[in-house]
Amino acid sequence: EVQLVESGGGSVQPGGSLTLSCVVSGFTVNTYYMYWVRQAPGKGLEWISCIAIDASGGRQYYVDSVQGRATISRDNAKNTVFLQFNKMKTEDTAVYYCAAARQWPPRSYPETTWSAFNYRGQGTQVTVSS
């Protein structure tokens, strides 16, 4: 059975930092393109980061709004994907999901839809507020 379980969400003040984790079971994270996707209140899905499979060199991709503030990484031994987020802004408030796909960019690009992913987690809430 495939499971993606996110953790690490919570409340943080503007300018603060947070690290999200996604523990995966049922497949190995270095064989899928692993994404972090978010959905802000009242808005659609937005992919914000992706790390490529090992065969593609593990290249990292970021949406412009988080470039320079977020870092995606992967621990193959723990089968876990991370998203380290610094200098957080109120507009980063969203539910953050971990998702897996067989390709980059996602099939629905430039849109982000769940149909573009093979697997997804249940999400973790991140609230940035003073």
Side-chain angles (χ1 to χ4, degrees), residues 4-9 20-24 33-41 43-50 72 81-83 85 92-101 112-114 117 119-126:
L4 288 75
V5 180
E6 302 96 337
S7 63
L20 306 180
S21 302
C22 173
V23 178
V24 175
Y33 289 81
M34 297 301 300
Y35 291 78
W36 284 98
V37 176
R38 70 184 179 186
Q39 187 164 27
K43 296 188 177 181
L45 293 174
E46 177 188 34
W47 78 269
I48 59 170
S49 186
C50 174
I72 189 171
V81 180
F82 302 95
L83 183 72
F85 224 138
D92 294 321
T93 295
V95 178
Y96 285 72
Y97 300 89
C98 176
T112 303
T113 64
W114 285 127
F117 302 99
Y119 306 108
R120 52 167 283 196
Q122 292 302 304
T124 185
Q125 175 70 48
V126 173

Side-chain angles (χ1 to χ4, degrees), residues 78-114:
K78 296 182 179 180
N79 219 36
T80 300
V81 180
F82 302 95
L83 183 72
Q84 183 174 357
F85 224 138
N86 301 316
K87 301 178 182 178
M88 298 196 76
K89 304 176 181 180
T90 55
E91 52 262 44
D92 294 321
T93 295
V95 178
Y96 285 72
Y97 300 89
C98 176
R102 283 296 196 182
Q103 66 183 71
W104 160 263
R107 283 198 304 272
S108 56
Y109 189 84
E111 302 296 325
T112 303
T113 64
W114 285 127

Side-chain angles (χ1 to χ4, degrees), residues 1 3 7 31 43 52 68-69 91-92 114-115 118 122 128:
E1 181 185 7
Q3 282 191 315
S7 63
T31 62
K43 296 188 177 181
R69 300 190 298 120
E91 52 262 44
D92 294 321
W114 285 127
S115 64
N118 296 82
Q122 292 302 304
V128 184

